[in-house]
Structures are given as structure tokens and as C-alpha cells.
């Protein structure tokens, strides 16, 4: 019996060795061509309506910081970098020239830039109802927990922090976002 | 020979090609202007006068102010800057429109805001609507002859 068992095992092993790459190849070959990895992002409407985008533009989007197109995180808006090359005008609370209010396209561009930084991580944070926002690099940088050229900008629990974390949790705190734009809230 | 190799390696290790390129991009000095407080108006001062040199004097903030035509230097303009730690520093523009504050005088806590031009706070010759987030070189943002999507254009006073 032993020689037969060994013979069977040997044949089985041969079959497995032969089929494994074939199976693997078939698995790859039959993957859906239009397969996409989804991103569970925070609410884009709240980004504009609750003042999250305005806060980020005002706080982080100055032309010497994230109002530069060369940054990983790029923020557009009336406080800094503009999307429309024909920007002109004068509007209070925006830069003196090119001061048209932040446009919907600019909110969307900033949103996409922010969510696109770490799509898998932000999906996890948003899916969990905003738990552990510190998993996100941009939160850690703003809190000064990771290296950040702009330094420590926010303290956990302050209005600026609440603006971001409440948005990630699905219910952006508009009051916090408005308060966060006050320069006296800066460090 | 060995010492030369070690020195060369040390030099290479300390070089910052990005910063070197920024310095080079500023171009040569204007032969008509001696190196000093009036040189290179409109250029980002801290590229050379920052922590990486090559200038010996380090600035906290530096820039150039123009008259309302945005090309003629505005001299004698008081520039007032306030940082996040409630420290206020002032400097006056020279004949080239240049002003600067030495780093030895001020280690600003960013953001710097408000920033005003002129000696009369009730009637300023200009004020910066936004803030300085991290770069003490005014010309890092205020470049070009006019405003654009990525620059508000030159700093200028609203009246002579």
C-alpha cells in the first residue's frame, strides 16, 4: 500500500503544481475590466455648505502653504490659489485682487485633493463614523503629531479640530467651522 | 587623497539641490546696484536670507513695496506685522522699496496677520487681506506684474 499511496501523492502533487499557475492566471484573466476601488468620502455638500472648505482655505490655503499647485494637498479658494484663470474682482474676506468668492468648482477640486490623499484610510475613518481621525495624515500634521512645515495648527477639541472631525463623522459642525476661521483661533 | 574624497562626500551630502536651484534661478546681481539693503527688489528675500543661506544675514520677513503703479518703489512706508503670539514688529521701506526684519529680532509664530502699510492705523496705505502662513519672503506669493491665479501681484500702496 505504501508505494501506491506514495504514487498517488506524487501524482496529486504534480496535478496541483500544474493547476496552480493556471488557476492563478485564470483568476487574473477574469477580473472585471471596469473594476474600481470605491472611496467612502465625507460629505462633499457639507464641505461647501458647512464651511469646511472655507475654513481649510482660510487656514491652510494661503499661497505660501497649500495654495500651491505643487503640494500633495492643494486647496483652492478666494484666500489663495484660484482655479479660473480669468479671476478678477474684489470681495471682502478674500484676497484683494482675484477676490471672487470661492466657486463650486474650487470646493470640489479641494475636496478631491483632500480625499485623494489617503483614499483607503479616509474610507475607513468615514465608514466608522469618524472614529480615529488621527489615522489620517492631514489630521496628524495639523495637530502637530507628524512633521509639518506649517507647525501645529490645531488642538484636539478646539473649533478647528471640531470642524474637521465632525465633518469626517458625517455631521459637520457649521458653528465650529465658522469660529475656526477667526484668526484669534489660530495657535 | 582620502581626505579630499571625504571632504567631497561631505559636501555632496550637505548639498540641497532644490535650494541651490532656487538661488540660481534668482540670477546675477544687477551691476548697477551694489549688494546691500537695496539689491534685488521684488525677489524672494529668504531664498538667500533664510536658514540655508548663502547670505550671512538671516531675515524673518522681507519684501518690496511699490507705489500704486506697481513698478515704482515706495520708500518710507511703515510696514507693521503681527504674529500669532501677539508680537508686533515694524520696518520701513528704503529707496528701493525694500524692507526686512532680521531673524535675530523676531522669530515669528505663524500665521502673521494683520499686516498693514502706513503709519496711520486708522487710514492705512494698504493692508493684507490674508495671512502669511509660513514663508517670510513676500515675493514668494507677490510675484509678477499683475495678479494671477497663483499670485496677488506686487505689494503696493493705495496712495503715494
Amino acid at each position: 500500500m505504501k508505494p501506491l499511496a506514495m504514487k498517488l501523492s506524487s501524482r496529486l502533487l504534480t496535478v496541483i503544481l500544474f493547476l496552480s499557475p493556471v488557476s492563478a492566471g485564470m483568476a487574473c484573466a477574469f477580473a472585471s475590466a471596469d473594476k474600481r476601488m470605491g472611496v467612502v468620502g465625507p460629505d462633499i455638500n457639507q464641505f461647501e455648505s458647512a464651511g469646511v472648505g472655507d475654513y481649510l482655505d482660510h487656514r491652510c490655503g494661503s499661497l505660501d502653504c497649500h495654495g500651491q499647485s505643487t503640494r500633495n494637498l492643494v486647496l483652492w479658494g478666494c484666500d489663495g490659489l484660484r482655479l479660473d484663470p480669468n479671476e478678477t474682482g474684489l470681495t471682502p474676506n478674500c484676497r484683494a485682487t482675484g477676490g471672487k468668492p470661492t466657486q463650486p468648482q474650487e470646493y470640489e477640486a479641494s475636496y478631491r485633493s483632500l480625499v485623494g490623499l489617503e483614499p483607503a484610510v479616509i474610507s475607513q475613518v468615514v465608514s466608522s463614523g469618524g472614529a480615529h481621525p488621527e489615522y489620517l495624515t492631514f489630521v496628524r500634521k495639523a495637530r502637530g503629531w507628524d512633521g509639518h512645515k506649517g507647525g501645529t495648527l490645531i488642538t484636539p477639541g478646539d473649533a478647528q479640530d471640531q470642524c474637521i472631525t465632525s465633518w469626517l463623522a458625517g455631521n459637520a459642525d457649521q458653528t465650529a467651522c465658522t469660529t475656526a476661521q477667526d484668526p484669534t483661533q489660530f495657535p | 587623497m582620502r581626505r579630499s574624497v571625504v571632504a567631497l562626500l561631505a559636501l555632496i551630502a550637505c548639498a540641497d539641490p532644490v535650494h541651490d536651484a532656487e538661488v540660481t534661478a534668482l540670477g546675477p546681481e544687477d551691476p548697477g546696484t551694489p549688494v546691500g539693503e537695496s539689491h534685488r527688489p521684488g525677489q524672494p528675500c529668504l531664498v538667500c536670507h533664510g536658514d540655508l543661506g548663502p547670505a550671512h544675514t538671516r531675515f524673518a520677513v522681507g519684501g518690496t513695496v511699490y507705489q500704486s503703479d506697481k513698478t515704482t518703489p515706495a520708500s518710507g512706508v511703515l510696514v507693521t506685522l503681527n504674529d500669532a503670539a501677539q508680537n508686533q514688529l515694524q520696518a520701513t521701506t528704503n529707496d528701493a522699496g525694500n524692507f526686512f526684519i532680521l531673524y535675530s529680532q523676531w522669530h515669528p509664530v505663524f500665521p502673521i496677520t494683520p499686516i498693514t502699510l502706513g503709519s496711520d492705523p486708522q487710514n492705512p496705505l494698504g493692508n493684507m487681506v490674508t495671512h502669511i502662513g509660513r514663508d517670510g519672503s513676500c515675493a514668494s506669493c507677490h510675484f509678477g506684474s499683475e495678479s494671477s491665479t497663483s499670485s496677488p501681484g506686487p505689494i503696493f500702496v493705495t496712495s503715494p
Side-chain angles (χ1 to χ4, degrees):
Chain A
M1 284 300 287
K2 264 189 177 178
L4 181 61
M6 284 181 68
K7 204 172 181 179
L8 282 172
S9 297
S10 176
R11 281 184 181 174
L12 186 63
L13 186 63
T14 304
V15 169
I16 290 170
L17 285 173
F18 174 74
L19 287 179
S20 294
V22 174
S23 305
M26 286 174 69
C28 293
F30 287 100
S32 172
D34 60 352
K35 183 77 173 173
R36 295 288 185 273
M37 185 185 146
V39 177
V40 183
D43 193 305
I44 190 170
N45 295 317
Q46 289 181 17
F47 186 76
E48 179 175 347
S49 64
V52 180
D54 289 335
Y55 157 63
L56 288 173
D57 179 37
H58 188 63
R59 185 69 170 104
C60 316
S62 59
L63 289 165
D64 58 340
C65 296
H66 291 281
Q68 291 185 1
S69 58
T70 53
R71 293 293 163 81
N72 289 335
L73 170 60
V74 185
L75 298 169
W76 285 264
C78 68
D79 272 306
L81 186 64
R82 303 314 306 258
L83 207 52
D84 181 357
N86 299 314
E87 263 299 332
T88 54
L90 191 77
T91 299
N93 302 319
C94 293
R95 63 176 158 118
T97 52
K100 194 160 68 177
T102 302
Q103 299 296 292
Q105 303 94 310
E106 293 175 319
Y107 285 114
E108 183 177 342
S110 298
Y111 173 88
R112 286 180 176 277
S113 177
L114 179 59
V115 171
L117 287 172
E118 296 174 304
V121 181
I122 205 166
S123 295
Q124 181 185 348
V125 171
V126 172
S127 297
S128 63
H132 297 293
E134 74 278 7
Y135 287 172
L136 288 158
T137 302
F138 93 93
V139 171
R140 293 198 307 277
K141 279 178 173 282
R143 289 177 175 179
W145 296 356
D146 274 7
H148 185 216
K149 178 88 175 184
T152 301
L153 304 179
I154 64 180
T155 304
D158 70 7
Q160 300 179 81
D161 196 62
Q162 284 177 24
C163 176
I164 293 170
T165 54
S166 62
W167 176 58
L168 292 170
N171 188 18
D173 185 338
Q174 188 165 6
T175 303
C177 292
T178 302
T179 305
Q181 293 177 53
D182 180 354
T184 60
Q185 294 292 317
F186 295 175
Chain B
M1 177 64 181
R2 187 176 290 173
R3 282 184 183 172
S4 301
V5 171
V6 170
L8 182 64
L9 288 174
L11 193 65
I12 293 170
C14 294
D16 182 338
V18 175
H19 178 251
D20 291 347
E22 289 175 340
V23 173
T24 303
L26 297 177
E29 294 282 347
D30 177 354
T33 307
V35 175
E37 298 184 4
S38 296
H39 82 145
R40 298 181 180 272
Q43 292 198 345
C45 313
L46 272 72
V47 168
C48 296
H49 291 277
D51 56 344
L52 296 177
H56 296 298
T57 48
R58 185 176 174 185
F59 295 173
V61 176
T64 308
V65 181
Y66 296 93
Q67 294 183 20
S68 54
D69 64 4
K70 301 181 184 177
T71 54
T72 308
S75 61
V77 176
L78 184 70
V79 183
T80 304
L81 307 104
N82 299 270
D83 75 359
Q86 313 301 318
N87 296 309
Q88 184 181 87
L89 269 288
Q90 293 181 312
T92 303
T93 60
N94 60 24
D95 288 347
N98 289 349
F99 74 94
F100 60 89
I101 296 171
L102 294 171
Y103 191 73
S104 58
Q105 295 175 278
W106 190 29
H107 300 186
V109 178
F110 292 101
I112 298 175
T113 188
I115 303 159
T116 57
L117 302 176
S119 52
D120 181 1
Q122 304 304 317
N123 190 24
L125 300 174
N127 68 295
M128 185 163 162
V129 180
T130 57
H131 61 256
I132 299 173
R134 65 175 226 179
D135 191 336
S137 290
C138 298
S140 290
C141 300
H142 291 273
F143 56 83
S145 57
E146 291 294 337
S147 65
S148 66
T149 55
S150 56
S151 174
I155 303 169
F156 62 96
V157 293
T158 50
S159 56

